């Protein structure tokens, strides 16, 4: 194993006493042993920082850093700056991984000579119920170039999570994850794709997502309006610029993606926030009206997408009221 490449596994940690031991021990139990495990305590206030130190004493491959709270993206960027591995992976502190995940990911990279590999994931809730697959695993390893991978992302068929991936460290830009934003993995991945080349997707579900109410993207109150919807619209504009520059053949698909993200925003924003003081909302409505004809001519948008686009361009508040009443009758 002395000639095996070092893999850095990064785990941002914040107030996660209950689930952190399971997460960390699933990493230390990997069949691929040449790991550097970086735990970044992001200003925890419940004793998680001390737990990180105790876990670090269990395995010499663990390095623990404590810093003021700055969010998951800032913690990940900090760890990337201290990473020594040839390859980098990420694990969220409430999730856990199969014991052979990194062995399989590295096998994929070496076998198919790619700079990155992706493995499949499954998801369970707090009651232990298995949830539907977010991304359907391939039946066998599949190698795609970055353009096809981008297309699958824009069609909502691909997996943008860095937790399911192993990537050459040299590919990460200096300012990797956008700080203070959600949908941050998508943001970074679409920026990195042009330099990634080919990516291999593996069929095994080795990454186990734990759907915990109260984490960043999982809220208990369905009336809350997460900023992720606005961040997704920003990312749609970003990917449009990247596609125009790097993948012009995907221009129609990128436009469809931008419309879809705006429809998601309009379908979830509380009606009380659909007002003249909300500049993001006003900008989205203006975009829908300005690009209505283009949307109607777009072959990638479905008939349902086009219908919603038309209705929201005409009367966004009225359509939301009707939509709310229709959902109540379900």
């Amino acid at each position: 194993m002395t000639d095996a490449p070092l893999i850095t596994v990064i785990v941002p940690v914040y107030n996660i006493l209950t689930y952190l031991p399971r997460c960390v021990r699933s990493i230390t139990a990997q069949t691929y042993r040449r790991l550097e495990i970086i735990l970044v305590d992001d200003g925890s206030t419940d004793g998680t920082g001390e737990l990180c130190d105790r876990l670090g004493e269990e395995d010499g491959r663990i390095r623990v850093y404590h810093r003021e709270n700055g969010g998951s993206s800032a913690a990940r960027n900090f760890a990337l700056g201290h990473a020594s591995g040839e390859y980098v992976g990420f694990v969220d502190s409430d999730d856990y991984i199969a014991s052979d995940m990194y062995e399989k990911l590295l096998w994929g990279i070496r076998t198919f000579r790619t700079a990155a590999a992706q493995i499949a994931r499954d998801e369970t809730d707090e009651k232990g119920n298995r949830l539907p697959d977010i991304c359907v695993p391939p039946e066998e390893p599949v190698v795609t170039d970055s353009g096809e991978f981008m297309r699958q992302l824009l069609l909502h068929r691909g997996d943008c999570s860095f937790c399911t991936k192993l990537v050459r460290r040299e590919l990460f830009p200096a300012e990797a994850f956008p700080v203070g934003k959600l949908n941050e993995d998508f943001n970074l991945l679409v920026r990195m794709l042009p330099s990634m080349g080919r990516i291999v997707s593996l069929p095994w579900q080795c990454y186990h997502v734990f759907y915990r109410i109260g984490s960043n993207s999982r809220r208990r109150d369905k009336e809350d309006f997460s900023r992720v919807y606005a961040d997704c619209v920003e990312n749609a504009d970003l990917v449009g610029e990247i596609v125009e520059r790097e993948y012009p053949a995907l221009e129609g698909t990128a436009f469809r993606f931008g419309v879809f993200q705006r429809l998601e925003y309009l379908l979830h924003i509380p009606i009380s926030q659909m007002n003249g003081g909300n500049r993001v909302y006003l900008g989205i409505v203006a975009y829908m009206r300005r690009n209505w004809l283009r949307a109607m001519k777009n072959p990638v948008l479905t008939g349902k997408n086009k219908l919603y686009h038309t209705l929201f361009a005409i009367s966004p508040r009225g359509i939301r009221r009707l939509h709310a009443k229709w959902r109540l009758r379900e």
Side-chain angles (χ1 to χ4, degrees):
M1 192 69 72
T2 56
D3 61 342
L6 179 67
I7 293 175
T8 298
V9 183
I10 294 172
V11 186
V13 175
Y14 178 72
N15 288 358
I16 191 72
L17 277 172
T18 303
Y19 304 109
L20 184 61
R22 178 181 66 179
C23 171
V24 172
R25 287 166 184 155
S26 74
I27 302 171
T28 59
Q30 290 294 294
T31 54
Y32 188 83
R33 302 297 297 168
R34 194 152 190 263
L35 303 177
E36 170 189 65
I37 304 163
I38 300 180
L39 306 183
V40 182
D41 168 35
D42 191 39
S44 296
T45 58
D46 67 343
T48 294
E50 291 78 4
L51 175 59
C52 287
D53 292 332
R54 292 196 298 272
L55 290 169
E57 293 172 357
E58 295 181 3
D59 194 305
R61 297 172 297 173
I62 297 175
R63 292 159 55 193
V64 179
Y65 295 93
H66 302 277
R67 58 194 308 274
E68 292 184 5
N69 181 259
S72 177
S73 289
R76 283 173 158 190
N77 291 341
F78 175 87
L80 281 169
H82 290 78
S84 303
E86 183 177 344
Y87 296 95
V88 176
F90 299 85
V91 180
D92 285 344
S93 57
D94 44 2
D95 300 334
Y96 60 102
I97 60 178
S99 61
D100 57 354
M101 188 178 92
Y102 285 114
E103 181 179 352
K104 286 179 173 175
L105 283 166
L106 187 59
W107 170 86
I109 287 173
R110 287 177 155 178
T111 301
F112 299 97
R113 298 182 179 180
T114 62
Q118 171 179 277
I119 209 145
R121 56 176 160 156
D122 56 32
E123 189 166 322
T124 57
D125 64 18
E126 289 179 311
K127 297 180 180 179
N129 300 313
R130 173 71 183 272
L131 302 176
D133 291 330
I134 296 175
C135 302
V136 178
E139 294 183 358
E140 57 186 23
V142 175
V143 178
T144 58
D145 61 29
S146 64
E148 175 59 20
F149 201 95
M150 176 72 83
R151 189 178 77 87
Q152 294 297 323
L153 286 177
L154 297 181
L155 292 173
H156 296 92
R157 298 173 186 163
D159 183 1
C160 68
S161 172
F162 274 89
C163 290
T164 56
K165 295 173 179 60
L166 187 64
V167 183
R168 290 191 69 91
R169 178 167 60 90
E170 64 189 24
L171 293 177
F172 287 90
E175 293 297 325
F177 295 95
V179 177
K181 299 287 186 179
L182 297 177
N183 199 220
E184 64 275 20
D185 285 36
F186 179 89
N187 178 292
L188 176 58
L189 182 58
V190 297
R191 287 189 284 123
M192 289 176 63
L193 273 178
S195 61
M196 275 189 176
R198 301 186 313 149
I199 301 166
V200 58
S201 298
L202 304 175
W204 304 291
Q205 290 182 299
C206 291
Y207 190 90
H208 306 305
V209 177
F210 181 60
Y211 194 90
R212 181 172 60 91
I213 300 299
S215 60
N216 277 345
S217 58
R218 304 155 189 173
R219 296 290 183 246
R220 190 178 301 275
D221 186 354
K222 293 184 179 181
E223 294 304 312
D224 285 347
F225 185 54
S226 172
R227 70 177 189 273
V228 71
Y229 294 104
D231 291 344
C232 285
V233 171
E234 286 187 15
N235 284 341
D237 291 341
L238 168 68
V239 81
E241 296 171 4
I242 294 170
V243 163
E244 182 180 6
R245 183 175 65 249
E246 303 285 347
Y247 312 103
L250 295 178
E251 183 180 356
T253 307
F255 174 73
R256 174 261 178 202
F257 184 77
V259 169
F260 189 93
Q261 296 306 111
R262 286 170 169 85
L263 288 173
E264 283 287 290
Y265 179 98
L266 292 171
L267 283 166
H268 288 87
I269 182 174
I271 297 174
S272 62
Q273 296 183 30
M274 301 172 79
N275 57 62
N278 187 335
R279 290 198 292 179
V280 174
Y281 162 73
L282 292 177
I284 288 174
V285 173
Y287 177 97
M288 302 297 278
R289 291 171 176 167
R290 185 173 63 250
N291 289 280
W292 177 83
L293 184 59
R294 184 182 177 189
M296 296 306 105
K297 294 180 177 179
N298 184 281
V300 190
L301 284 164
T302 66
K304 184 177 180 180
N305 294 154
K306 293 177 181 180
L307 174 61
Y308 269 105
H309 188 134
T310 301
L311 294 173
F312 275 117
I314 295 171
S315 178
R317 285 174 60 88
I319 294 306
R320 273 304 307 281
R321 291 192 185 98
L322 288 174
H323 187 261
K325 290 179 180 179
W326 174 73
R327 292 187 67 182
L328 286 173
R329 293 195 187 103
E330 288 187 315

